[in-house]
Amino acid sequence: MASVPPVAGRRWRRPPVLIKDRNTRWIVYGGLLIYLALAMSTVDVNWQRVADGLERGMRFINGFLQPDFTSRSTDIYRGLIESLTMTLTSTVVGVLISIPIGIGAARNIAPPVIYYICRSIIAISRTFQEVIIAIFFVVMFGFGPFAGFLTLAFSTIGFLGKLLAEDIEDIDEAQAEAIRATGASFMQLINYGVQPQVMPRLIGLSLYRLDINFRESAVIGIVGAGGIGATLNVAISRYEYDSAGAVLLIIIGIVMLAEYSSSYVRKWVQ
Amino acid sequence: MLRLDTLAKRYKTGDHALKGVSFTVEKGQVVGLIGPSGAGKSTLIRCINRLVEPTGGSIYLNDVDLAGLSGGELRRARRRIGMIFQEYALVERLTVMENVLSGRLGYVPFWRSLLRRFRQADVDKAFALLDRVGLSEHADKRADELSGGQRQRVGIARALEQDPELLLVDEPTASLDPKTSRQIMRLIMEICRESGLPAVINIHDVMLAKMFVDRIIGLTAGEVVFDGAPALLDDAVLTRIYGEEDWTAMQASAAEDAADAAATYGAAPPERVKEERMAGLA
Amino acid sequence: MPVSTTADGRKVWQRRTTGRQWAIWAGWFAFVVLLVWCWELMTRTTIWAFVYDAPRQISDLGNRMFPPRWSYIDRLIWPLWDTINIASLGTLLGIFIAVPIAFCAARNTTPSLYILRPIALFIIVASRSINSLIWALLLVSIIGPGLLAGIIAIGLRSIGFIGKLLYEAIEEIDESQVEAVRATGANGMQVLDYGIVPQVLPAFFGITVFRWDINIRESTILGLVGAGGIGLQLQSSLNTLAWPQVSLILLLILGTVLVSEWVSAKVRHAVI
């Protein structure tokens, strides 16, 4: 739009939204398109098998709509107890361990050596899926909920440790400095200068993790670490979709309950 | 010509925001609406184009009762009423040109607006308006790259792109500094004069209102308590509108409140909170 | 009142009143009892001999896993490619289903507040409650093993994540911009296009890329239940106790996860 444009006939087209340069835009979009085409082509579907499966799919949906809580009630009950106890104990243990690790992984209060040790513990715990960790714990400690408990506690450490460390790094330094200025020791500094600032969020995050741990407890049973996942695995592998539907509905119900009550608790602590 | 007849609004909470407001705005007349906050100024303006549903009375724009319209008819009525907003209310992530062209939305079919293929006549008009408000070079900038005064100019261009028969202006200067406020008010007045466009302007700044508008309506607790020429607005009348308190001090604090609101209102939630929310769901 | 006065008129400060202090102690006691009881229930079937034996098992396992069998890598390249495809196509599927659901679930855009919104919210919570591995388990049993089951499993799990974050983003938009577009006489679709979509688009890209990153991690294990990808190799190596192969697979997963995390961080940085 240089000097003295004509009053009429000025064209307008919308400028590109994401990538301004024309060539880069073509390369990125073209590349994405080619990748999608290649990816689609690797999916080789046995349509016969899928068609056969549709009938089973209908049975699953029926099972979901008319769940059967009774015929496997003892298994479901046992799995549920294992899952719930595993969830609670592992969250509590995980939170207790993650607090010192989170403090150690906060750059603004921890000495460098401790900082790196704590950060690497967090990194290891966060990298692998719970299921892979569970496989190893099952090999080491035998089948059953104890291995599941260890898995969930270990994952909780990485999750909470990281978020807690970030919270501590974000605190209002002026408050901590004021406490330090009174001649407080390290533990007193944590207690008066840091804890009041991060406590409400720590509680909130712990409740989040409780919810996640319950959901994960339903999965690690598939590899032998106890809990309701084992029950589910058996039900699905025997094509008992009505029992599987019952288990899934129980899981959904408990997650909804946990979400509802945790939002309530969080409002209450803040 | 705009005629309001015993317009009333009662919110679901029971607040009686408007208690039977009636007045007529002739062609080419610019009316300033003043009153304390909570008097119903904003509600009144929004009732005229039915962004807020009135609960009683009628709104005649050229002998059509807007209160009785619905669906497509309402949208066709709205497109003839330009509106300028307090916090500019530009779509911040769209370009200046898209914001101006959005004034044509009531006229064009959906596919044109979706593909941004507006008629050349609409684009010509938009460029002419951007020339008029002095922002032609900024056509392809995103709206959030502009300063407050520039954004309000885009807001004015968007309203005029609608070919309005009536202009509704809601606190056009609330988040601007005094100098820019005067420039914006002057621009609005010039445009109204040029095309004989009637306008209703909500304005908290009484001095600014007296300086520019043709006629002032004072609103208190949902009722008209003053209606006349700016020259008739003396201290006694202002006390009637704003109550017993020192109205000059009150104005200053109202302006401060508006500026504060502008400062805090725009703050986005911190990125970290979002990240964390995602992490919690993982 | 935490500040009380003793008989001789001195003020005593306590953090809490005595009754409240007792209530808190009682609460903590009940919590510890619950915890111990849970622990008892949980460990009833535990065979402690295995647990005591664990340190020896760990060192034994460590010896067997090291060094990784590097030559196995040429059998892992295609499964890795499959894994990435499962994540990408699954994310895409999730987006297609999640976007309309998010608009139905957001209070300010839902077409019907009392019918569609609760349904959309239930779909979101159901999808979020059930891990992709469980979806995969079900789908393998229904439509047979293979990539398709993995893609659908990832897609179904992504609906809840994308749907929830997107509907929250829609509910957080600046209503005045929407009001301004509506005031021009725009119809419903135009209000969506000009007033709402531009405001949620950055959040949408951020959420999508973030979910893609998570999906890469999740799709590495789907093979354990037969839904394709590198997990199939992991499963067969575990079954044959080929620990050097297992350690190589884990290293590869680690590398992939780091790369995808880096890509996702870059893209999110670019769009937001």
Side-chain angles (χ1 to χ4, degrees):
Chain A
M1 253 153 282
S3 58
V4 202
V7 176
R10 273 181 283 180
R11 299 257 155 210
W12 173 80
R13 291 189 63 176
R14 173 161 57 160
V17 180
L18 281 183
I19 307 164
K20 297 275 175 273
D21 180 63
R22 196 187 163 85
N23 290 329
T24 330
R25 194 164 71 239
W26 279 109
I27 292 169
V28 170
Y29 289 163
L32 276 178
L33 219 66
I34 292 171
Y35 167 68
L36 268 186
L38 282 178
M40 298 267 204
S41 70
T42 59
V43 185
D44 113 65
V45 181
N46 182 349
W47 290 110
Q48 185 55 47
R49 180 73 179 76
V50 174
D52 291 349
L54 282 183
E55 184 259 334
R56 262 194 299 261
M58 285 313 295
R59 263 181 44 217
F60 166 67
I61 290 170
N62 276 333
F64 200 74
L65 294 175
Q66 296 163 306
D68 174 8
F69 290 94
T70 46
S71 59
R72 286 207 160 266
S73 58
T74 46
D75 278 359
I76 293 175
Y77 177 74
R78 204 178 41 91
L80 203 59
I81 290 293
E82 279 184 5
S83 266
L84 288 173
T85 53
M86 204 154 88
T87 305
L88 187 70
T89 49
S90 67
T91 308
V92 171
V93 171
V95 170
L96 290 180
I97 300 175
S98 70
I99 289 172
I101 291 189
I103 293 172
R107 200 193 300 268
N108 52 347
I109 51 174
V113 181
I114 296 192
Y115 172 78
Y116 284 112
I117 295 174
C118 291
R119 279 282 162 176
S120 36
I121 294 173
I122 289 173
I124 295 169
S125 151
R126 276 171 49 80
T127 302
F128 291 106
Q129 287 279 312
E130 280 85 349
V131 173
I132 294 180
I133 296 169
I135 290 171
F136 279 88
F137 279 132
V138 166
V139 171
M140 292 171 194
F141 295 91
F143 287 96
F146 189 73
F149 158 77
L150 290 175
T151 307
L152 295 179
F154 184 68
S155 302
T156 305
I157 294 169
F159 175 88
L160 266 182
K162 176 166 185 280
L163 292 173
L164 182 62
E166 282 170 5
D167 264 6
I168 295 175
E169 284 172 0
D170 275 1
I171 60 166
D172 177 9
E173 282 291 333
Q175 295 181 33
E177 200 173 23
I179 299 295
R180 207 177 273 138
T182 64
S185 71
F186 182 76
M187 290 310 288
Q188 287 168 328
L189 171 70
I190 299 289
N191 188 208
Y192 279 75
V194 177
Q195 191 199 340
Q197 295 191 54
V198 298
M199 204 55 187
R201 299 232 311 189
L202 179 65
I203 293 172
L205 292 172
S206 304
L207 290 171
Y208 256 150
R209 188 64 215 187
L210 191 71
D211 180 13
I212 296 174
N213 276 349
F214 177 73
R215 283 187 261 159
E216 290 297 331
S217 79
V219 177
I220 53 181
I222 295 174
V223 294
I228 196 137
T231 317
L232 191 61
N233 197 6
V234 171
I236 291 176
S237 62
R238 291 184 188 164
Y239 302 106
E240 290 171 359
Y241 292 125
D242 40 5
S243 295
V247 174
L248 291 180
L249 281 175
I250 289 174
I251 295 174
I252 294 172
I254 291 180
V255 169
M256 278 172 89
L257 195 73
E259 223 159 67
Y260 181 77
S261 50
S262 81
S263 71
Y264 186 78
V265 172
R266 247 173 292 164
K267 254 179 228 144
W268 181 64
V269 295
Q270 268 161 8
Chain B
M1 192 191 78
L2 172 75
R3 185 160 60 84
L4 303 186
D5 188 16
T6 59
L7 189 67
K9 171 69 186 175
R10 183 196 277 272
Y11 283 103
K12 276 187 191 137
T13 52
D15 293 335
H16 221 148
L18 296 175
K19 301 170 188 162
V21 173
S22 306
F23 59 82
T24 305
V25 182
E26 299 299 335
K27 186 166 168 51
Q29 192 177 48
V30 178
V31 175
L33 206 56
I34 63 171
S37 46
K41 291 176 296 178
S42 187
T43 306
L44 175 56
I45 280 236
R46 281 171 169 73
C47 277
I48 295 175
N49 63 357
R50 301 252 317 266
L51 287 175
V52 168
E53 281 303 322
T55 43
S58 19
I59 311 139
Y60 290 99
L61 181 66
N62 299 335
D63 300 321
V64 179
D65 183 6
L66 301 186
L69 302 182
S70 62
E73 283 178 331
L74 175 61
R75 288 198 299 273
R76 273 191 292 283
R78 269 185 191 153
R79 72 185 187 188
R80 304 310 300 269
I81 303 175
M83 186 158 176
I84 297 168
F85 292 81
Q86 177 172 0
E87 303 282 343
Y88 331 120
L90 299 181
V91 184
E92 307 224 324
R93 300 191 66 91
L94 293 182
T95 62
V96 168
M97 194 57 171
E98 282 171 293
N99 269 292
V100 177
L101 284 171
S102 70
R104 297 310 287 179
L105 289 178
Y107 294 88
V108 301
F110 175 63
W111 69 268
R112 274 191 186 276
S113 61
L114 181 70
L115 301 175
R116 273 40 169 190
R117 296 269 186 238
F118 288 86
R119 289 190 187 85
Q120 185 59 37
D122 296 345
V123 177
D124 285 343
K125 188 174 169 58
F127 271 119
L129 284 168
L130 283 176
D131 284 345
R132 176 69 182 80
V133 300
L135 289 172
S136 301
E137 314 87 274
H138 301 297
D140 280 343
K141 272 195 189 162
R142 244 168 55 175
D144 54 8
E145 291 173 57
L146 302 183
S147 70
Q150 288 174 324
R151 287 191 208 189
Q152 196 55 291
R153 285 163 198 275
V154 177
I156 293 170
R158 173 174 64 188
L160 296 175
E161 178 79 10
Q162 287 176 239
D163 283 329
E165 293 169 359
L166 170 71
L167 211 52
L168 301 176
V169 190
D170 187 18
E171 298 284 6
T173 61
S175 28
L176 300 174
D177 63 75
K179 184 163 170 254
T180 320
S181 294
R182 280 197 298 278
Q183 288 171 348
I184 291 290
M185 279 303 287
R186 195 168 295 128
L187 181 65
I188 293 173
M189 289 308 293
E190 280 170 14
I191 286 166
C192 289
R193 293 277 177 270
E194 281 164 18
S195 42
L197 190 62
V200 180
I201 305 183
N202 265 351
I203 190 158
H204 69 271
D205 186 335
V206 179
M207 285 303 137
L208 212 56
K210 281 175 97 166
M211 209 185 302
F212 287 103
V213 301
D214 305 327
R215 170 182 164 197
I216 285 181
I217 291 178
L219 206 62
T220 302
E223 282 172 307
V224 176
V225 293
F226 172 81
D227 187 347
L232 299 175
L233 201 66
D234 52 22
D235 284 5
V237 174
L238 283 168
T239 309
R240 187 141 49 94
I241 297 172
Y242 286 101
E244 286 301 326
E245 285 178 56
D246 179 9
W247 57 269
T248 37
M250 223 176 69
Q251 270 179 64
S253 72
E256 249 168 55
D257 288 352
D260 281 356
T264 49
Y265 201 64
E271 186 58 27
R272 273 258 344 277
V273 174
K274 283 189 179 162
E275 293 275 313
E276 192 172 279
R277 209 186 279 161
M278 289 186 181
L281 285 158
Chain C
M1 273 289 276
V3 180
S4 52
T5 314
T6 57
D8 55 337
R10 281 196 322 181
K11 279 191 175 168
V12 179
W13 179 82
Q14 288 170 303
R15 195 165 165 205
R16 299 184 179 95
T17 57
T18 318
R20 199 169 143 70
Q21 190 64 56
W22 274 106
I24 287 172
W25 281 120
W28 277 110
F29 182 72
F31 185 66
V32 171
V33 168
L34 175 72
L35 210 61
V36 171
W37 180 66
C38 281
W39 178 263
E40 287 300 320
L41 268 181
M42 186 188 80
T43 53
R44 210 157 30 178
T45 54
T46 305
I47 300 165
W48 291 103
F50 284 161
V51 177
Y52 299 136
D53 193 36
R56 213 175 52 78
Q57 288 286 337
I58 293 170
S59 66
D60 190 37
L61 203 59
N63 286 334
R64 272 191 272 173
M65 285 178 75
F66 192 81
R69 196 181 139 209
W70 299 106
S71 61
Y72 190 56
I73 191 98
D74 52 343
R75 304 242 324 259
L76 293 179
I77 294 302
W78 284 112
L80 185 64
W81 167 245
D82 281 346
T83 298
I84 296 168
N85 290 343
I86 290 174
S88 306
L89 295 175
T91 311
L92 209 61
L93 178 71
I95 293 169
F96 277 120
I97 307 172
V99 169
I101 288 179
F103 277 97
C104 288
R107 202 178 283 280
N108 49 352
T109 55
T110 183
S112 81
L113 194 56
Y114 296 106
I115 301 165
L116 273 182
R117 184 164 189 266
I119 294 174
L121 288 177
F122 180 77
I123 294 175
I124 287 172
V125 79
S127 155
R128 265 158 43 66
S129 311
I130 300 173
N131 193 291
S132 52
L133 198 67
I134 296 177
W135 283 120
L137 196 66
L138 263 172
L139 286 158
V140 166
S141 130
I142 291 173
I143 60 172
L147 288 189
L148 188 66
I151 292 167
I152 299 176
I154 291 284
L156 288 177
R157 172 65 181 86
S158 303
I159 294 171
F161 183 92
I162 298 174
K164 173 163 178 157
L165 289 173
L166 191 60
Y167 100 73
E168 286 174 349
I170 296 171
E171 285 186 347
E172 275 169 16
I173 61 173
D174 175 8
E175 280 295 329
S176 71
Q177 299 181 27
V178 182
E179 191 183 38
V181 175
R182 191 171 291 126
T184 66
N187 67 29
M189 291 305 287
Q190 288 171 326
V191 171
L192 195 70
D193 181 17
Y194 280 73
I196 296 168
V197 170
Q199 292 194 58
V200 297
L201 212 55
F204 170 76
F205 281 123
I207 294 163
T208 302
V209 176
F210 197 85
R211 185 66 219 181
W212 175 77
D213 177 23
I214 297 171
N215 282 346
I216 293 263
R217 290 162 200 248
E218 299 211 332
S219 57
T220 56
I221 51 165
L222 291 184
L224 290 176
V225 295
I230 201 163
L232 283 173
Q233 262 63 27
L234 182 61
Q235 176 75 329
S236 62
S237 301
L238 283 170
N239 283 346
T240 55
L241 301 176
W243 293 104
Q245 294 181 15
V246 172
S247 55
L248 181 70
I249 292 170
L250 293 186
L251 279 176
L252 199 62
I253 290 177
L254 180 68
T256 315
V257 166
L258 287 179
V259 171
S260 79
E261 203 164 63
W262 180 80
V263 170
S264 135
K266 279 273 161 200
V267 174
R268 265 185 298 155
H269 200 74
V271 294
I272 293 175

